Amino acid sequence: MSKICVIGTGYVGLVTGTCFAELGNQVTCLDTDPARINGLLQGQMPIYEPGLEQLVEQNVQAKRLHFTQDYRSALEGAEYAFIAVGTPSGVDGEADLQYVKAAAESIADIVDFPILVINKSTVPVGTGDWVADVIRRRRGDRSLEFSVVSNPEFLREGSAINDFMSPDRVVLGSEDRKAATRLAELYKPLRCTIMVTDLRTAEMIKYASNAFLATRISFINEIGNMCEDLGADVREVAQGMGLDKRIGPSFLDAGLGWGGSCFPKDVKALEHMAVLHGTQPQLLQAVMEINRNQRRRAVMKLRKALGTLNEKTIGILGISFKPNTDDIRDSAALEIIHLLINEGAHIQAYDPQAMDNASKVLKNVKLCESPYEVADSADALLLATEWNEFKQIDFVKIKQLLRNPVILDGRNLWDSELLKSMGFTYMGIGRAIN
Ligand code: UDX
Ligand code: UDX
């Protein structure tokens, strides 16, 4: 059993802290947002993540998981301090490290015993060295025995607990290999591959992994756009490709592109790092351009189907950036809604989990309580997020409610032949338009 402090109770920190508690450790999660901590102390989750609420409750009951705003009590006797605060994009796409700095300085101010400082947040290559400098500078002549380890997270929202408990790999990077090996002990119960490397390599593994996954998606989306013109079906192209073991089937779903709090931020940050150090990241720039274009193409398809978007009502199903999360950061729906409104369209939208977050950012949008309210008197229906509950909606009712039987299936969720047979004008992504 180890004593662990996790700084930041967002999608990454809260899942990380709770899962370490579930493994039998003593964990204190800290956040500087009072509302977040007060909510957690009352059992209210600040985020929607399947299974998290129950796991938090179990570990709070077992007195392994604690929440506080106070750094001193959070760090008291801690052997490990995980930094899992946000690393949002700055103006030029660089990662904003102000919160990482604040956390590192708080550790430096308070800790007077040996500690491992672990970067769980996604940080640019070289940040680990920088965090060590921040701590040393802050300590001045007060010595402190510490090491910094990079331990990037590979958690997908919506499956974060499973991704933590059954990871493909744990990556640990440090200039102090003993420190990384010591941290590996925390992950031993997971019985997974634990890779120990140097700091910068670990930081780059995180960025390169996310950028590669985003590249796969932009690649299949570009192939999908060709399929539309050439009369092929991108879903079957992806299936045929994926049977090649070197390619594999995952992350080849054509759609409205990638969003969320990670891919957009991480690809931009990697591009920024490249340009800053003199490498021209043509591929990354193309990956981002294709992704932006995927949203514009969706708007173009709707405009073509309706003749104009001005004064038309578009129903949007799904606002979160992917199913099984309430996170709307950089979601395709948000960007498409913005583009549609710019052309004079009226929007009515629904999401199974993200309505609270959506209501904070979507002002002139009618927020609905069901897919049927979204379809009511709409000139077209766009599926932006492939929630399970949209799979079996009643299309007879949808058709009666729509002003025009026009559907843009942004995630190829539905059966195109069935919908065409019901008289819908069905448009998918990467599939022949009827
Ligand atoms: C984010 C990024 O999404 C992810 O790519 C990166 O690896 C880690 O940072 P996430 O958990 O999504 O992960 O961040 P977010 O949901 O924004 O939560 C960050 C939390 O840190 C918030 O609760 C915020 O209040 C807290 N925080 C922020 C602190 O506790 N201290 C600070 O100084 C700043
Ligand atoms: C991602 C990485 O998968 C994870 O390893 C990392 O730690 C954080 O970033 P996440 O952003 O939560 O996780 O979601 P993910 O499931 O990767 O989807 C990212 C985006 O890509 C979503 O917008 C999703 O809709 C889109 N996507 C995913 C596709 O468009 N097609 C696909 O085949 C897969």
Side-chain angles (χ1 to χ4, degrees):
M1 187 280 286
S2 298
K3 199 148 175 352
I4 298 168
C5 166
V6 177
I7 301 164
T9 60
Y11 290 90
V12 175
L14 184 56
V15 169
T16 298
T18 306
C19 289
F20 272 132
E22 180 66 11
L23 294 176
N25 299 291
Q26 271 296 327
V27 179
T28 301
C29 291
L30 174 138
D31 204 296
T32 52
D33 175 352
R36 206 158 259 234
I37 290 298
N38 295 335
L40 282 163
L41 289 171
Q42 289 157 43
Q44 289 151 19
M45 294 302 108
I47 56 171
Y48 172 77
E49 181 63 45
L52 183 61
E53 185 164 4
Q54 191 205 341
L55 205 61
V56 166
E57 193 189 335
Q58 264 168 236
N59 284 279
V60 167
Q61 297 294 336
K63 301 198 182 330
R64 288 193 298 263
L65 181 60
H66 316 275
F67 298 107
T68 180
Q69 264 194 222
D70 173 48
Y71 263 103
R72 197 164 291 282
S73 57
L75 285 163
E76 198 177 328
E79 302 158 75
Y80 307 92
F82 284 82
I83 298 177
V85 295
T87 51
S89 289
V91 281
D92 298 331
E94 82 286 2
D96 177 351
L97 297 176
Q98 62 171 306
Y99 305 124
V100 172
K101 185 165 191 268
E105 288 179 337
S106 300
I107 294 168
D109 290 346
I110 290 164
V111 174
D112 276 321
F113 44 82
I115 193 163
L116 283 197
V117 178
I118 300 113
N119 276 341
K120 180 58 80 173
S121 293
T122 304
V123 291
V125 176
T127 303
D129 299 327
W130 173 78
V131 165
D133 286 346
V134 165
I135 294 173
R136 274 194 284 274
R137 274 203 306 276
R138 189 75 170 193
R139 290 292 294 189
D141 52 13
R142 292 182 303 150
S143 72
L144 174 66
E145 192 186 328
F146 75 98
S147 295
V148 176
V149 183
S150 165
N151 173 209
E153 49 92 11
F154 298 108
L155 308 178
R156 285 166 299 166
E157 289 181 23
S159 57
I161 293 172
N162 176 63
D163 289 349
F164 183 98
M165 291 300 195
S166 316
D168 292 338
R169 80 298 203 192
V170 167
V171 172
L172 305 173
S174 183
E175 299 322 301
D176 173 357
R177 290 301 171 102
K178 276 206 326 302
T181 310
R182 193 170 133 224
L183 181 57
E185 289 305 308
L186 272 190
Y187 287 101
K188 278 256 165 35
L190 302 182
R191 292 194 181 79
C192 66
T193 304
I194 299 179
M195 178 183 176
V196 175
T197 181
D198 64 80
L199 207 56
R200 287 169 177 262
T201 301
E203 290 163 340
M204 178 52 94
I205 288 170
K206 169 66 187 177
Y207 277 105
S209 302
N210 267 10
F212 181 72
L213 292 167
T215 301
R216 273 178 81 102
I217 296 165
S218 284
F219 176 82
I220 200 65
N221 280 333
E222 184 156 81
I223 294 295
N225 297 340
M226 295 179 207
C227 287
E228 287 177 9
D229 300 328
L230 297 168
D233 183 328
V234 73
R235 294 174 317 155
E236 300 200 11
V237 168
Q239 194 186 346
M241 288 170 64
L243 292 170
D244 182 324
K245 286 191 183 56
R246 295 167 302 173
I247 299 174
S250 56
F251 277 68
L252 286 177
D253 298 336
L256 297 174
W258 38 269
S261 71
C262 295
F263 283 2
K265 165 178 72 68
D266 296 352
V267 178
K268 257 191 292 194
L270 192 56
E271 181 208 20
H272 185 265
M273 273 179 253
V275 172
L276 212 58
H277 292 85
T279 312
Q280 196 47 40
Q282 298 102 313
L283 180 60
L284 293 180
Q285 285 161 347
V287 164
M288 289 188 283
E289 179 52 28
I290 292 166
N291 201 55
R292 275 191 292 275
N293 201 35
Q294 231 26 37
R295 284 83 193 264
R296 291 194 286 257
R297 277 179 72 93
V299 173
M300 180 196 69
K301 286 178 181 174
L302 289 168
R303 187 188 313 114
K304 234 163 126 188
L306 300 176
T308 174
L309 290 168
N310 191 31
E311 293 306 318
K312 296 291 183 183
T313 298
I314 309 295
I316 310 258
L317 293 185
I319 304 172
S320 60
F321 82 93
K322 62 184 267 198
N324 301 318
T325 181
D326 63 347
D327 198 343
I328 61 173
R329 290 180 282 189
D330 272 311
S331 82
L334 287 190
E335 189 172 344
I336 290 169
I337 287 170
H338 176 74
L339 293 170
L340 290 169
I341 289 173
N342 278 353
E343 294 199 31
H346 303 285
I347 307 295
Q348 42 201 52
Y350 163 72
D351 186 281
Q353 284 294 340
M355 296 311 271
D356 275 357
N357 288 332
S359 62
K360 292 172 195 154
V361 294
L362 289 177
K363 295 312 167 209
N364 40 2
V365 165
K366 184 184 171 207
L367 295 177
C368 302
E369 292 177 2
S370 78
Y372 304 103
E373 195 186 343
V374 167
D376 191 2
S377 312
D379 295 294
L381 186 66
L382 163 67
L383 179 104
T385 313
E386 67 280 23
W387 282 93
N388 276 339
E389 76 174 70
F390 297 147
K391 278 184 179 152
Q392 300 290 339
I393 54 175
D394 176 349
F395 282 106
V396 173
K397 198 170 159 192
I398 291 285
K399 191 157 184 272
Q400 286 162 353
L401 288 163
L402 283 170
R403 254 193 225 128
N404 298 301
V406 173
I407 280 186
L408 173 49
D409 180 356
R411 298 290 179 179
N412 290 333
L413 181 69
W414 292 318
D415 178 339
S416 57
E417 292 318 309
L418 170 70
L419 293 182
K420 287 174 188 172
S421 70
M422 291 175 71
F424 284 98
T425 298
Y426 173 91
M427 299 175 284
I429 304 289
R431 304 161 84 182
I433 295 174
N434 55 325

